Amino acid sequence: MDLFEYQGKQLFARYGIPVSAGDVAVTVDEAVRAADAAGYPVVVKAQVQVGGRGKAGGIKLASSADEVREHAGNILGMDIKGHVVKRVWIEHASDIAEEYYASFTLDRAAKKYLGMLSAQGGVEIETVAESSPEAIARLSIDPVEGLSEAACRAWVEAARLNPAVTDGAVDVLLKLYRAYVDGDADLVEINPLIVTPDGRVHALDAKVSLDENAAYRHPEWDEYAATQELDDRERLAKEKGLNYIGLDGSVGIIGNGAGLVMSTLDVVNQVGGSAANFLDVGGGADAAVLTNAIEVINTDDNVRAILVNIFGGITRCDEVANGIVTALTQVSVKAPIVIRLDGTNAEEGRAIIAPHESDRLISQPTMLDAARKAVELASK
């Protein structure tokens, strides 16, 4: 669950991280009232879950109520990379002496938390990582041991931050780590983490992604769920309880298990195609789940072929086959389906599919063969 900037800042504030005074507004009048309360000058910031809003004109400085009215009027309703601005964040403008970058996320391969810290903030960290990887100080954290003050201080020194703000940086980073762990987040990021002219360390932006699997521990997340922006595909998938992420390719992907689905996306890319989605039906998927999955992918007009890649363990391949056959009778599937079945009851599943095979339903023996065929059909 990705949060808007203002929600991320509200979360940070609960953990004592310094953020700018401000408020969210959905109308021009609300924006003016928020600016009056925050104190001029203020910054009017579009709230969208996509980068590049500054270059698109979604961040403006205002020194008066008239300027806030003008900028809020222009920004509300603005389209930024396909995201329509429905709310703006108004905050008191900050004087900036230095800009840093800080984040915590999960290093799945190492089974540890990963902290990243750089003295080069305010720009896309991906660019820094590519052009100057040495500019990012990485810290691997054992979740059992946590982040000690001593380790955090050494990390700050390794990142070559201004020595004069070491204490302030350590304080904010320890609080950010606590927000990451106790807040059940997948990612917490501050870019830029600024130093003011009087030496205070301050979060000027907030990017937070929460682990939805922990929602049962956080009833307060209901307010975040209410503001989630989902496209039609994602909304339908959520209603049907499917793990779905919409992408912009032409090959619809269905698999069982996140690892298998990610591998399928990689293979499709390797053979020259592009995935339209990530859709994991999970273990034990039955005919109803497969029918729902195909229905969701069928709503995507960009999908030119559907690749169903199943390795049966808990999931039985005959159940998957029955699901596909059922879907073909219940849903007017617009794209041809390529299916690869292996594992538990794979032979039975292939036997169920065989009488229905045609140029619209094609069985392939391996994942690579299936990916090649799906990409071929999607290119027609």
Side-chain angles (χ1 to χ4, degrees), residues 115-357:
M116 291 190 288
L117 183 63
S118 176
Q120 296 184 25
V123 296
E124 293 183 4
I125 196 63
E126 294 85 357
T127 302
V128 176
E130 183 176 345
S131 61
S132 305
E134 72 283 354
I136 302 175
R138 292 171 170 82
L139 180 65
S140 186
I141 305 166
D142 187 324
V144 176
E145 296 178 359
L147 176 61
S148 68
E149 182 177 346
C152 189
R153 189 170 296 273
W155 183 34
V156 169
E157 292 172 356
R160 300 187 184 91
L161 305 190
N162 185 342
V165 300
T166 295
D167 289 345
V170 169
D171 179 67
V172 169
L173 290 169
L174 288 172
K175 290 173 178 175
L176 184 64
Y177 177 76
R178 185 51 51 203
Y180 172 69
V181 176
D182 292 354
D184 281 313
D186 287 328
L187 168 71
V188 292
E189 176 183 280
I190 304 175
N191 188 29
L193 175 66
I194 68 165
V195 178
T196 62
D198 58 357
R200 291 178 293 111
V201 181
H202 183 92
L204 198 62
D205 199 0
K207 183 176 181 180
V208 177
S209 181
L210 301 174
D211 181 359
E212 285 191 275
N213 293 312
Y216 70 95
R217 288 199 289 261
H218 298 275
E220 73 277 10
W221 287 6
D222 289 346
E223 63 181 275
Y224 300 148
T227 60
Q228 289 295 293
E229 294 188 344
L230 305 175
D231 64 24
D232 292 340
R233 302 169 302 170
E234 292 168 335
R235 186 173 296 105
L236 180 60
K238 196 173 186 68
E239 290 172 358
K240 295 183 178 295
L242 296 171
N243 295 314
Y244 177 95
I245 299 172
L247 303 173
D248 55 7
S250 59
V251 179
I253 306 292
I254 299 174
N256 62 316
L260 180 61
V261 179
M262 287 189 287
S263 296
T264 307
L265 267 65
D266 288 342
V267 172
V268 165
N269 182 69
Q270 288 169 7
V271 297
S274 57
N277 64 274
F278 171 104
L279 201 167
D280 173 19
V281 295
D286 57 17
V289 172
L290 263 295
T291 300
N292 289 338
I294 292 174
E295 181 181 351
V296 169
I297 289 183
N298 198 51
T299 63
D300 188 344
D301 293 332
N302 292 325
V303 170
R304 306 293 299 277
I306 300 172
L307 171 55
V308 181
N309 186 20
I310 301 294
F311 186 86
I314 299 173
T315 303
R316 291 168 40 193
C317 291
D318 54 332
E319 283 281 2
V320 172
N322 282 325
I324 292 172
V325 172
T326 300
L328 292 174
T329 63
Q330 296 182 356
V331 181
S332 180
V333 182
K334 294 179 287 188
I337 298 174
V338 179
I339 180 169
R340 174 257 186 169
L341 298 174
D342 203 356
T344 304
N345 290 3
E347 292 186 7
E348 291 86 341
R350 296 189 196 105
I352 292 170
I353 291 292
H356 303 275
E357 285 199 53

Side-chain angles (χ1 to χ4, degrees), residues 40-42 61-68 71:
Y40 295 97
V42 298
L61 183 66
S63 300
S64 67
D66 287 341
E67 290 184 4
V68 170
H71 295 321

